[in-house]
Amino acid sequence: MPTIVNWATGKMADVNALLARLSNAAAKVAPAAAPVSRPAVAPRAPAEPAPDPIERPPVEEMRLDVGIHSDVPENTYHRDCAIETSASSSILRIIQAESPRHAKYAHARLNPKWEPVEPSPDMIKGTILHSMLLDTPRPYRAFDHKAWQSKEAKADRAECFAEGLIPVLAHTLDDLQACADGARELLRSEMPKVWEALTDPETINEATLIFRRNGVMCRGRVDALAPDKYGVLYDFKFTGRSAEPDA
């Protein structure tokens, strides 16, 4: 397993070495105390079976070498699509704020029991807005239900997830489309150089970057990677709060 670098300090963190020390320390525990007799407890009634989890499609596995790659599905990227175990910005932030062991637990290829985080409503809105702004293939399917409470709505939602798409209520899309249209018009009228870069035929949307830094395989993903002549890449953020820095 490769070491992972903390970009904030330049220090290298060897996950295997840390886990070995933790394992040795755990083995040196004090002898167990004598057992304490406890009154018998009546067995609990069996719990009701948990609902069946949503079936999701198999994720396409990719192992990409150093370079710039397009058409990498988002769920494939988050499962670590690099040719070697790689560090993403989220993994590096966990090392900085918590520990290498926390990072190992959060890593798709280092934790055999890793499961993707269920997207929150705000995350879903952000994904849809990115698609609308960049005019990329829709990652969602709209339904005419008023809510997801009915049996039919729940079935549609589960089926949509199973096909690898985001289910969304159609009546919620108007505000998102208005937001995306407003952002596109702002870029077109007030930031013509940005708009030119975004609409350049050679610009790569949802670009996946695989690279090495300090000997560590790393990966990143940007919304729009413009040609070299622009000297810039774009990563858009949306918020329902004030964008004023001092707010």
Side-chain angles (χ1 to χ4, degrees), residues 203-223:
T203 292
I204 302 174
N205 291 330
E206 303 292 356
T208 293
L209 315 178
I210 308 293
F211 59 98
R212 290 186 185 276
R213 178 158 180 169
N214 295 339
V216 177
M217 184 70 81
C218 301
R219 73 183 189 278
R221 189 175 176 93
V222 296
D223 291 335

Side-chain angles (χ1 to χ4, degrees), residues 174-229:
D174 290 343
D175 287 345
L176 296 179
Q177 189 64 63
C179 177
D181 290 345
R184 290 170 65 88
E185 180 57 33
L186 176 69
L187 294 172
R188 185 186 296 109
S189 61
E190 299 187 23
M191 304 179 185
K193 291 295 184 182
V194 175
W195 184 250
E196 179 185 348
L198 289 178
T199 55
D200 190 298
E202 296 184 10
T203 292
I204 302 174
N205 291 330
E206 303 292 356
T208 293
L209 315 178
I210 308 293
F211 59 98
R212 290 186 185 276
R213 178 158 180 169
N214 295 339
V216 177
M217 184 70 81
C218 301
R219 73 183 189 278
R221 189 175 176 93
V222 296
D223 291 335
L225 181 62
D228 290 344
K229 63 183 179 181

Side-chain angles (χ1 to χ4, degrees), residues 37-72:
S37 60
R38 300 181 182 276
V41 178
R44 295 181 179 179
E48 295 183 3
D52 294 334
I54 295 174
E55 293 185 5
R56 301 186 183 277
V59 177
E60 180 181 359
E61 184 174 289
M62 292 183 177
R63 291 294 178 259
L64 304 174
D65 210 336
V66 171
I68 300 171
H69 305 275
S70 60
D71 300 323
V72 178

Side-chain angles (χ1 to χ4, degrees), residues 2-247:
T3 54
I4 299 180
V5 66
N6 183 334
W7 288 0
T9 64
K11 296 180 180 179
M12 304 296 288
D14 190 324
V15 176
N16 270 342
L18 177 64
L19 293 179
R21 293 201 302 271
L22 291 172
S23 177
N24 292 337
K28 298 176 181 178
V29 297
V36 178
S37 60
R38 300 181 182 276
V41 178
R44 295 181 179 179
E48 295 183 3
D52 294 334
I54 295 174
E55 293 185 5
R56 301 186 183 277
V59 177
E60 180 181 359
E61 184 174 289
M62 292 183 177
R63 291 294 178 259
L64 304 174
D65 210 336
V66 171
I68 300 171
H69 305 275
S70 60
D71 300 323
V72 178
E74 186 175 5
N75 54 4
T76 299
Y77 170 81
H78 289 301
R79 289 178 180 271
D80 193 354
C81 56
I83 196 171
E84 300 174 12
T85 303
S86 65
S88 64
S89 61
S90 59
I91 291 296
L92 295 172
R93 285 196 298 268
I94 292 173
I95 291 176
Q96 179 184 6
E98 300 177 69
S99 73
R101 187 170 188 179
H102 286 86
K104 178 179 184 295
Y105 181 81
H107 199 291
R109 281 167 70 175
L110 299 181
N111 178 7
K113 297 182 179 180
W114 180 89
E115 290 291 340
V117 176
E118 195 72 30
S120 67
D122 286 341
M123 293 170 65
I124 290 175
K125 289 179 181 178
T127 299
I128 295 173
L129 280 169
H130 275 78
S131 171
M132 291 176 170
L133 176 65
L134 299 173
D135 197 22
T136 55
R138 290 184 180 183
Y140 62 91
R141 180 180 297 161
F143 294 90
D144 290 328
H145 305 298
K146 293 183 177 180
W148 297 115
Q149 277 72 29
S150 71
K151 184 176 181 180
E152 180 183 1
K154 290 179 180 179
D156 285 341
R157 184 171 182 269
E159 181 179 357
C160 189
F161 271 129
E163 294 178 14
L165 297 172
I166 299 172
V168 60
L169 299 173
H171 66 82
T172 67
L173 289 177
D174 290 343
D175 287 345
L176 296 179
Q177 189 64 63
C179 177
D181 290 345
R184 290 170 65 88
E185 180 57 33
L186 176 69
L187 294 172
R188 185 186 296 109
S189 61
E190 299 187 23
M191 304 179 185
K193 291 295 184 182
V194 175
W195 184 250
E196 179 185 348
L198 289 178
T199 55
D200 190 298
E202 296 184 10
T203 292
I204 302 174
N205 291 330
E206 303 292 356
T208 293
L209 315 178
I210 308 293
F211 59 98
R212 290 186 185 276
R213 178 158 180 169
N214 295 339
V216 177
M217 184 70 81
C218 301
R219 73 183 189 278
R221 189 175 176 93
V222 296
D223 291 335
L225 181 62
D228 290 344
K229 63 183 179 181
Y230 297 102
V232 68
L233 54 82
Y234 297 96
D235 198 55
F236 297 99
K237 303 299 179 186
F238 297 90
T239 179
R241 304 176 182 177
S242 171
E244 168 60 42
D246 297 328

